[in-house]
Amino acid sequence: MKYIDEFNDPDLARRLLDEIHATATRPWALMEVCGGQTHSIIRHGIDQLLPEQVELIHGPGCPVCVTPLDVIDKALEIASRPGVIFCSFGDMLRVPGTDRDLFRVKGEGGDVRVVYSPLDALELARKHPDREVVFFAIGFETTAPANAMAVHQARRLGLANFSLLVSHVRVPPAVEAIMSAPQCRVQGFLAAGHVCSVMGTAEYPELAERFGVPLVVTGFEPLDILEGIRRAVRQLERGEHRVENAYARAVREDGNPAALRMIQEVFEVADRNWRGIGRIPRSGWRLSEAFRAYDAEHRFDVGGIRTEEPAECRSGEVLQGLIKPTECAAFGTTCTPRTPLGATMVSSEGACAAYYLYRRMNSPMPQAARAAREEMNPVA
Amino acid sequence: MCLAVPGKVVSIDDQADPLTGLIDFGGVQKQACLEYVSDVQVGEYVIVHVGFALQRLDEASALASLKLFEELGLLEEEFGDAWEQAANEAGATLTAEHPNSGSEVL
Ligand code: SF4
């Protein structure tokens, strides 16, 4: 009973699971969009506690995983320049570029610094007027308000030595791309809670309608995820496809209007490449015209860098839910968290790393999870 | 970095621009930008992501989340010394030259 007992309210977890088991009569495939959710699902063995009919497919919601290789190479190039202080969130340090990572650049003498917030990078720019401070602005909608504020402040303070290397991605166009793929098996989505804390839910009803899929806004704690699954399965069994908010304590329908205003002022929608997936129209943000002077790609003239990903890495298929990490031949052999071939193995939020860390080498169901499942649902 | 962590507003610096406050995350205290939740009061809980409060949260939910994050070691991951963590893992990067060590678990 290890898995269930680890839940912060095991009784509630059991009740939610009972209801999911009782509701699901047919096979359903749900995609959790957020990497935090993937991590939580694998960590708690949630996928193995579900009825066999309910399959979870891991989505592309890890900013570290989807940042394209050519952007990593641009980061490495800029970070290597003399006079530059290159600032990044810690989990980007080991993401492999074509032939090295930021950690290596630091070892070779580049001034690479880990910051907790983009405002820390701004502070560095203020303290070092003689240096160029570049912040690696990656992330989904959750991170965008912070990055937008940083560049907005830079302009207000007249800090000309601050710039952003932007690789921002947006969830709804990714959902659209996943649903439009001919091989798509996804029938419902657990939408990422904290993305919706910022953006609200306005972008989703159209997608639910067009593709006939339930979209349930879900948090990433184990009980949140069970509740999201319960609601998605209930909709599917009833033949419904609506947007439901199962994370109302942190998500309002209109999101955070002040944050949205700032995003709209600083960024504009643009096409983006997703690592392993390729180009998705209108799936990201770039700096708007008024802030273009703060774009590190132009300032350092690295716009021309284009690169190829290692052929054996199948992270693109993993990110789209087409294969499980264990189906990749490199998984656990040539590709491990210590020697990652693809970004989904680097970030702890990546599906390959989550499978590796929790020992899903051949996806055997741990004894404890099997016992728990049998006890809850003897006929399953 | 995906994580958004709930914390309690301990103090607010009205003079700061952007609006800033000290937030307590289950013992770890850090400054965060409050500009996007500008009418928040001391004592309320907010969800903080990369140094920015994004929404309010009720106390019960916030405390439950914090307890869970602590148990999972996620607070450490979010607020610990990122360089130290990266360095530990980079035993890692360095072992890239020693492929045989690849099967170890982190
Ligand atoms: S196991 Fe490694 S090589 Fe295979 S898809 Fe995942 S990241 Fe790529």
Side-chain angles (χ1 to χ4, degrees):
Chain A
M1 297 302 289
K2 172 171 175 283
Y3 284 93
I4 291 255
D5 289 341
E6 274 178 11
F7 284 60
N8 53 358
D9 184 344
D11 291 336
L12 180 54
R14 212 178 298 268
R15 281 207 301 280
L16 290 170
L17 275 162
D18 281 346
E19 207 180 318
I20 296 167
H21 277 261
T23 310
T25 64
R26 279 177 287 161
W28 300 115
L30 304 175
M31 175 176 273
E32 86 278 1
V33 174
C34 160
Q37 292 169 338
T38 301
H39 194 85
S40 193
I41 286 164
I42 304 298
R43 167 75 174 73
H44 289 87
I46 289 175
D47 52 336
Q48 308 197 352
L49 293 168
L50 294 174
E52 248 143 49
Q53 297 98 312
V54 180
E55 184 191 357
L56 290 178
I57 295 177
H58 314 306
C62 162
V64 179
C65 305
V66 301
T67 302
L69 193 53
D70 63 292
V71 176
I72 306 284
D73 282 351
K74 286 169 190 171
L76 298 172
E77 165 68 25
I78 294 170
S80 307
R81 301 261 175 106
V84 167
I85 301 176
F86 192 87
C87 301
S88 168
F89 297 125
D91 40 12
M92 291 305 286
L93 295 182
R94 287 195 315 118
V95 179
T98 298
D99 54 12
R100 53 194 179 144
D101 55 26
L102 281 170
F103 208 89
R104 179 69 63 90
V105 170
K106 166 99 173 165
E108 291 165 358
D111 193 347
V112 179
R113 303 195 193 183
V114 170
V115 293
Y116 163 66
S117 161
L119 291 184
D120 298 341
L122 194 70
E123 188 53 33
L124 279 170
R126 212 204 309 237
K127 274 197 200 134
H128 300 278
D130 54 325
R131 309 274 301 275
E132 279 287 336
V133 175
V134 183
F135 179 68
F136 202 172
I138 65 149
F140 279 86
E141 291 96 324
T142 324
T143 319
N147 292 343
M149 177 71 81
V151 75
H152 187 267
Q153 284 292 105
R155 190 176 70 169
R156 215 173 56 84
L157 299 169
L159 290 174
N161 63 329
F162 181 77
S163 59
L164 299 183
L165 178 60
V166 180
S167 188
H168 259 299
V169 280
R170 301 167 57 230
V171 168
V175 167
E176 192 177 340
I178 288 162
M179 289 312 298
S180 304
Q183 330 86 310
C184 174
R185 299 191 298 120
V186 180
Q187 293 161 294
F189 283 91
L190 307 181
H194 290 145
V195 164
C196 297
S197 294
V198 173
M199 302 302 292
T201 54
E203 293 176 283
Y204 293 118
E206 193 266 328
L207 291 171
E209 189 54 42
R210 179 146 50 107
F211 296 107
V213 287
L215 283 146
V216 181
V217 178
T218 305
F220 57 87
E221 290 168 42
L223 290 174
D224 289 327
I225 292 166
L226 287 179
E227 172 64 4
I229 295 167
R230 185 184 74 85
R231 292 199 196 198
V233 169
R234 189 176 58 185
Q235 279 199 46
L236 285 165
E237 289 282 343
R238 290 178 179 171
E240 298 170 351
H241 49 268
R242 285 178 290 113
V243 177
E244 264 189 86
N245 183 359
Y247 195 37
R249 64 183 196 272
V251 172
R252 294 170 18 186
E253 208 179 319
D254 61 348
N256 183 322
L260 279 170
R261 272 195 301 278
M262 180 63 84
I263 291 172
Q264 276 154 12
E265 185 184 341
V266 171
F267 293 122
E268 64 189 25
V269 169
D271 297 351
R272 279 262 166 230
N273 282 326
W274 294 52
R275 188 165 198 164
I277 297 180
R279 200 160 198 79
I280 304 179
R282 301 176 56 77
S283 67
W285 280 307
R286 65 173 174 212
L287 289 165
S288 62
E289 195 59 48
F291 289 88
R292 205 59 58 76
Y294 296 89
D295 186 342
E297 239 178 275
H298 297 306
R299 191 174 291 193
F300 295 90
D301 193 22
V302 290
I305 294 182
R306 292 278 172 268
T307 37
E308 294 284 323
E309 306 187 24
E312 63 268 52
C313 175
R314 301 179 67 187
S315 62
E317 291 159 272
V318 172
L319 290 168
Q320 293 171 86
L322 300 178
I323 64 163
K324 295 266 193 254
T326 44
E327 289 170 57
C328 169
F331 179 84
T333 56
T334 50
C335 181
T336 71
R338 290 187 165 223
T339 58
L341 285 181
T344 41
M345 187 59 97
V346 173
S347 160
S348 64
E349 281 146 17
C352 295
Y355 268 65
Y356 189 86
L357 289 174
Y358 299 114
R359 285 277 167 205
R360 298 291 180 81
M361 303 300 282
N362 300 305
S363 253
M365 186 185 294
Q367 202 58 41
R370 182 178 298 134
R373 178 193 270 190
E374 278 161 12
E375 184 175 311
M376 277 184 314
N377 193 8
V379 285
Chain B
M1 59 150 293
C2 262
L3 206 59
V5 186
K8 185 181 190 168
V9 181
V10 176
S11 63
I12 297 174
D13 179 357
D14 290 315
Q15 303 305 308
D17 180 14
L19 189 67
T20 300
L22 187 64
I23 315 291
D24 184 287
F25 304 94
V28 188
Q29 298 202 336
K30 264 193 162 320
Q31 297 286 341
C33 175
L34 300 178
E35 196 66 38
Y36 297 134
V37 290
S38 55
D39 51 353
V40 75
Q41 307 290 323
V42 168
E44 286 190 289
Y45 285 81
V46 286
I47 299 178
V48 178
H49 177 64
V50 297
F52 283 73
L54 295 177
Q55 279 292 358
R56 289 191 169 73
L57 195 64
D58 63 277
E59 179 169 5
S61 316
L63 293 178
S65 298
L66 273 174
K67 182 163 163 272
L68 182 77
F69 288 169
E70 202 182 333
E71 283 163 9
L72 298 182
L74 289 175
L75 288 180
E76 173 88 345
E77 201 173 289
E78 185 75 358
F79 298 122
D81 180 341
W83 265 114
E84 196 174 302
Q85 283 166 27
N88 288 338
E89 289 173 12
T93 303
L94 300 178
T95 56
E97 285 124 24
H98 307 283
N100 290 340
S101 63
S103 58
E104 288 165 39
V105 178
L106 277 179

